[in-house]
Amino acid sequence: METGKMINRISNRLRRRSREVQESIGISGAQGNILNYILVESVNHSVYQKEIEAEFGLRPSTATEALKALEGQGLICREAEPHDARYKKIVFTSKAQDIKTVLRKEIEESENLLLKGITEEEKGEFLRIAEKMLENLDTMQKK
């Protein structure tokens, strides 16, 4: 239980930090979580609704509703993939630049706080352990 306790404490404190930032820019916690996910994941690959559904455990209709709300606010839009227009990736709009900047800054500050005083070797070990934990969760969910 000690591991679970620490995971909960870290998670709660990060959520509290994020909530303050999200409130300051006029988005809800759920919207902020989705926007953070898109911001971080879109660095390496295109993000699609199916990923949002899987990451947050949302039904397709719930994910559609959440994404339509963000589209309605002009923060995101869906763009057809050039190689196959049936697939629509989720991207930030130009209107969301300021919000994107605020969210990125909050993510970076949180990461810096978490890793303060941690060596590169310790960071590498943490990342290996975190990856294994995610694999364990993914395996459990597939059963």
Side-chain angles (χ1 to χ4, degrees):
M1 279 303 254
E2 286 301 308
T3 303
K5 182 179 177 180
M6 290 306 289
I7 289 169
N8 280 333
R9 290 175 71 190
I10 291 168
S11 177
N12 290 337
R13 289 183 189 171
L14 286 172
R15 253 188 307 226
R16 203 168 36 237
R17 274 183 54 82
S18 291
R19 186 174 40 245
E20 290 171 10
V21 170
Q22 292 159 354
E23 287 174 357
S24 75
I25 57 176
I27 59 174
S28 72
Q31 290 174 324
N33 290 339
I34 291 170
L35 292 174
N36 280 344
Y37 180 82
I38 296 166
L39 181 64
V40 171
E41 293 298 322
S42 66
V43 170
N44 297 321
H45 67 279
S46 297
V47 176
Y48 304 94
Q49 179 171 327
K50 287 281 186 208
E51 287 179 68
I52 303 291
E53 293 168 12
E55 183 66 21
F56 296 100
L58 301 174
R59 292 187 321 263
S61 59
T62 305
T64 297
E65 185 178 309
L67 293 171
K68 280 191 183 283
L70 291 168
E71 286 176 295
Q73 291 176 280
L75 301 178
I76 62 168
C77 64
R78 297 174 197 241
E79 287 182 359
E81 283 289 355
H83 63 279
D84 191 341
R86 293 176 297 167
Y87 297 100
K88 307 267 193 266
K89 63 184 176 180
I90 302 167
V91 297
F92 283 92
T93 64
S94 57
K95 178 182 176 184
Q97 277 310 119
D98 291 340
I99 287 177
K100 224 172 119 174
T101 301
V102 171
L103 292 175
R104 183 177 288 116
K105 182 178 179 214
E106 191 271 326
I107 292 168
E108 290 170 354
E109 286 176 357
S110 292
E111 185 176 330
N112 288 336
L113 278 170
L114 284 171
L115 299 176
K116 185 177 180 181
I118 293 177
T119 66
E120 284 300 314
E121 183 179 302
E122 290 169 328
K123 179 182 172 186
E125 183 65 15
F126 167 76
L127 291 173
R128 283 188 292 281
I129 292 168
E131 189 64 40
K132 179 61 178 161
M133 289 175 169
L134 287 171
E135 287 173 15
N136 291 343
L137 288 170
D138 288 344
T139 301
M140 181 185 78
Q141 289 175 345
K142 291 177 184 174
K143 288 183 180 181

PDB file of all heavy atoms in Angstrom, residues 49-60 62-63 141:
ATOM      1  N   GLN A  49      -9.138  10.674 -31.857  1.00  0.00           N
ATOM      2  CA  GLN A  49     -10.143  10.498 -30.821  1.00  0.00           C
ATOM      3  C   GLN A  49     -10.018   9.148 -30.126  1.00  0.00           C
ATOM      4  O   GLN A  49     -10.178   9.057 -28.912  1.00  0.00           O
ATOM      5  CB  GLN A  49     -11.553  10.657 -31.393  1.00  0.00           C
ATOM      6  CG  GLN A  49     -12.627  10.459 -30.321  1.00  0.00           C
ATOM      7  CD  GLN A  49     -14.017  10.806 -30.765  1.00  0.00           C
ATOM      8  OE1 GLN A  49     -14.203  11.710 -31.562  1.00  0.00           O
ATOM      9  NE2 GLN A  49     -14.998  10.091 -30.240  1.00  0.00           N
ATOM     10  N   LYS A  50      -9.705   8.102 -30.854  1.00  0.00           N
ATOM     11  CA  LYS A  50      -9.582   6.759 -30.254  1.00  0.00           C
ATOM     12  C   LYS A  50      -8.556   6.757 -29.130  1.00  0.00           C
ATOM     13  O   LYS A  50      -8.729   6.068 -28.123  1.00  0.00           O
ATOM     14  CB  LYS A  50      -9.190   5.715 -31.307  1.00  0.00           C
ATOM     15  CG  LYS A  50     -10.303   5.362 -32.247  1.00  0.00           C
ATOM     16  CD  LYS A  50     -11.248   4.389 -31.589  1.00  0.00           C
ATOM     17  CE  LYS A  50     -12.293   3.925 -32.572  1.00  0.00           C
ATOM     18  NZ  LYS A  50     -13.524   3.556 -31.945  1.00  0.00           N
ATOM     19  N   GLU A  51      -7.479   7.520 -29.290  1.00  0.00           N
ATOM     20  CA  GLU A  51      -6.463   7.605 -28.242  1.00  0.00           C
ATOM     21  C   GLU A  51      -7.018   8.295 -27.000  1.00  0.00           C
ATOM     22  O   GLU A  51      -6.721   7.888 -25.879  1.00  0.00           O
ATOM     23  CB  GLU A  51      -5.246   8.393 -28.734  1.00  0.00           C
ATOM     24  CG  GLU A  51      -4.389   7.663 -29.710  1.00  0.00           C
ATOM     25  CD  GLU A  51      -3.250   8.539 -30.143  1.00  0.00           C
ATOM     26  OE1 GLU A  51      -2.370   8.835 -29.313  1.00  0.00           O
ATOM     27  OE2 GLU A  51      -3.259   8.942 -31.320  1.00  0.00           O
ATOM     28  N   ILE A  52      -7.799   9.355 -27.216  1.00  0.00           N
ATOM     29  CA  ILE A  52      -8.415  10.076 -26.097  1.00  0.00           C
ATOM     30  C   ILE A  52      -9.351   9.122 -25.343  1.00  0.00           C
ATOM     31  O   ILE A  52      -9.343   9.059 -24.117  1.00  0.00           O
ATOM     32  CB  ILE A  52      -9.199  11.319 -26.593  1.00  0.00           C
ATOM     33  CG1 ILE A  52      -8.300  12.272 -27.390  1.00  0.00           C
ATOM     34  CG2 ILE A  52      -9.910  12.021 -25.444  1.00  0.00           C
ATOM     35  CD1 ILE A  52      -7.245  12.988 -26.629  1.00  0.00           C
ATOM     36  N   GLU A  53     -10.130   8.353 -26.086  1.00  0.00           N
ATOM     37  CA  GLU A  53     -11.035   7.384 -25.474  1.00  0.00           C
ATOM     38  C   GLU A  53     -10.259   6.384 -24.620  1.00  0.00           C
ATOM     39  O   GLU A  53     -10.624   6.125 -23.462  1.00  0.00           O
ATOM     40  CB  GLU A  53     -11.816   6.625 -26.565  1.00  0.00           C
ATOM     41  CG  GLU A  53     -12.782   7.481 -27.335  1.00  0.00           C
ATOM     42  CD  GLU A  53     -13.319   6.796 -28.592  1.00  0.00           C
ATOM     43  OE1 GLU A  53     -13.108   5.560 -28.751  1.00  0.00           O
ATOM     44  OE2 GLU A  53     -13.946   7.485 -29.410  1.00  0.00           O
ATOM     45  N   ALA A  54      -9.195   5.829 -25.186  1.00  0.00           N
ATOM     46  CA  ALA A  54      -8.415   4.815 -24.471  1.00  0.00           C
ATOM     47  C   ALA A  54      -7.695   5.406 -23.261  1.00  0.00           C
ATOM     48  O   ALA A  54      -7.720   4.820 -22.166  1.00  0.00           O
ATOM     49  CB  ALA A  54      -7.405   4.172 -25.429  1.00  0.00           C
ATOM     50  N   GLU A  55      -7.068   6.547 -23.433  1.00  0.00           N
ATOM     51  CA  GLU A  55      -6.274   7.144 -22.347  1.00  0.00           C
ATOM     52  C   GLU A  55      -7.132   7.515 -21.147  1.00  0.00           C
ATOM     53  O   GLU A  55      -6.725   7.337 -20.003  1.00  0.00           O
ATOM     54  CB  GLU A  55      -5.527   8.373 -22.859  1.00  0.00           C
ATOM     55  CG  GLU A  55      -4.623   9.013 -21.831  1.00  0.00           C
ATOM     56  CD  GLU A  55      -3.444   8.149 -21.409  1.00  0.00           C
ATOM     57  OE1 GLU A  55      -3.049   7.231 -22.144  1.00  0.00           O
ATOM     58  OE2 GLU A  55      -2.914   8.403 -20.299  1.00  0.00           O
ATOM     59  N   PHE A  56      -8.328   8.051 -21.402  1.00  0.00           N
ATOM     60  CA  PHE A  56      -9.170   8.532 -20.310  1.00  0.00           C
ATOM     61  C   PHE A  56     -10.326   7.591 -19.973  1.00  0.00           C
ATOM     62  O   PHE A  56     -11.143   7.895 -19.110  1.00  0.00           O
ATOM     63  CB  PHE A  56      -9.698   9.941 -20.644  1.00  0.00           C
ATOM     64  CG  PHE A  56      -8.591  10.951 -20.760  1.00  0.00           C
ATOM     65  CD1 PHE A  56      -8.117  11.337 -21.994  1.00  0.00           C
ATOM     66  CD2 PHE A  56      -7.994  11.474 -19.627  1.00  0.00           C
ATOM     67  CE1 PHE A  56      -7.074  12.252 -22.110  1.00  0.00           C
ATOM     68  CE2 PHE A  56      -6.947  12.383 -19.726  1.00  0.00           C
ATOM     69  CZ  PHE A  56      -6.484  12.770 -20.970  1.00  0.00           C
ATOM     70  N   GLY A  57     -10.380   6.441 -20.654  1.00  0.00           N
ATOM     71  CA  GLY A  57     -11.433   5.476 -20.384  1.00  0.00           C
ATOM     72  C   GLY A  57     -12.821   6.002 -20.709  1.00  0.00           C
ATOM     73  O   GLY A  57     -13.771   5.753 -19.978  1.00  0.00           O
ATOM     74  N   LEU A  58     -12.913   6.738 -21.802  1.00  0.00           N
ATOM     75  CA  LEU A  58     -14.189   7.359 -22.194  1.00  0.00           C
ATOM     76  C   LEU A  58     -14.914   6.529 -23.243  1.00  0.00           C
ATOM     77  O   LEU A  58     -14.271   5.920 -24.109  1.00  0.00           O
ATOM     78  CB  LEU A  58     -13.941   8.757 -22.763  1.00  0.00           C
ATOM     79  CG  LEU A  58     -13.247   9.764 -21.856  1.00  0.00           C
ATOM     80  CD1 LEU A  58     -12.949  11.049 -22.625  1.00  0.00           C
ATOM     81  CD2 LEU A  58     -14.081  10.046 -20.627  1.00  0.00           C
ATOM     82  N   ARG A  59     -16.223   6.531 -23.165  1.00  0.00           N
ATOM     83  CA  ARG A  59     -17.030   5.961 -24.238  1.00  0.00           C
ATOM     84  C   ARG A  59     -16.881   6.884 -25.446  1.00  0.00           C
ATOM     85  O   ARG A  59     -16.654   8.090 -25.289  1.00  0.00           O
ATOM     86  CB  ARG A  59     -18.495   5.872 -23.821  1.00  0.00           C
ATOM     87  CG  ARG A  59     -18.762   4.858 -22.727  1.00  0.00           C
ATOM     88  CD  ARG A  59     -20.255   4.687 -22.457  1.00  0.00           C
ATOM     89  NE  ARG A  59     -21.035   5.902 -22.512  1.00  0.00           N
ATOM     90  CZ  ARG A  59     -21.392   6.633 -21.458  1.00  0.00           C
ATOM     91  NH1 ARG A  59     -21.041   6.262 -20.250  1.00  0.00           N
ATOM     92  NH2 ARG A  59     -22.115   7.729 -21.608  1.00  0.00           N
ATOM     93  N   PRO A  60     -17.034   6.340 -26.652  1.00  0.00           N
ATOM     94  CA  PRO A  60     -16.906   7.194 -27.849  1.00  0.00           C
ATOM     95  C   PRO A  60     -17.809   8.426 -27.800  1.00  0.00           C
ATOM     96  O   PRO A  60     -17.370   9.528 -28.157  1.00  0.00           O
ATOM     97  CB  PRO A  60     -17.290   6.252 -28.997  1.00  0.00           C
ATOM     98  CG  PRO A  60     -16.891   4.898 -28.491  1.00  0.00           C
ATOM     99  CD  PRO A  60     -17.195   4.925 -27.010  1.00  0.00           C
ATOM    100  N   THR A  62     -18.909  10.040 -25.197  1.00  0.00           N
ATOM    101  CA  THR A  62     -18.406  10.984 -24.192  1.00  0.00           C
ATOM    102  C   THR A  62     -17.186  11.724 -24.728  1.00  0.00           C
ATOM    103  O   THR A  62     -17.048  12.943 -24.556  1.00  0.00           O
ATOM    104  CB  THR A  62     -18.066  10.254 -22.886  1.00  0.00           C
ATOM    105  OG1 THR A  62     -19.217   9.520 -22.452  1.00  0.00           O
ATOM    106  CG2 THR A  62     -17.636  11.222 -21.802  1.00  0.00           C
ATOM    107  N   ALA A  63     -16.299  10.992 -25.391  1.00  0.00           N
ATOM    108  CA  ALA A  63     -15.111  11.620 -25.984  1.00  0.00           C
ATOM    109  C   ALA A  63     -15.527  12.613 -27.070  1.00  0.00           C
ATOM    110  O   ALA A  63     -14.986  13.721 -27.142  1.00  0.00           O
ATOM    111  CB  ALA A  63     -14.180  10.557 -26.561  1.00  0.00           C
ATOM    112  N   GLN A 141      -5.598  -4.303 -18.248  1.00  0.00           N
ATOM    113  CA  GLN A 141      -6.813  -3.808 -18.907  1.00  0.00           C
ATOM    114  C   GLN A 141      -7.230  -4.695 -20.077  1.00  0.00           C
ATOM    115  O   GLN A 141      -8.393  -4.732 -20.428  1.00  0.00           O
ATOM    116  CB  GLN A 141      -6.610  -2.373 -19.389  1.00  0.00           C
ATOM    117  CG  GLN A 141      -6.543  -1.396 -18.250  1.00  0.00           C
ATOM    118  CD  GLN A 141      -6.228   0.019 -18.701  1.00  0.00           C
ATOM    119  OE1 GLN A 141      -5.789   0.225 -19.820  1.00  0.00           O
ATOM    120  NE2 GLN A 141      -6.443   0.977 -17.841  1.00  0.00           N
TER     121      GLN A 141
END
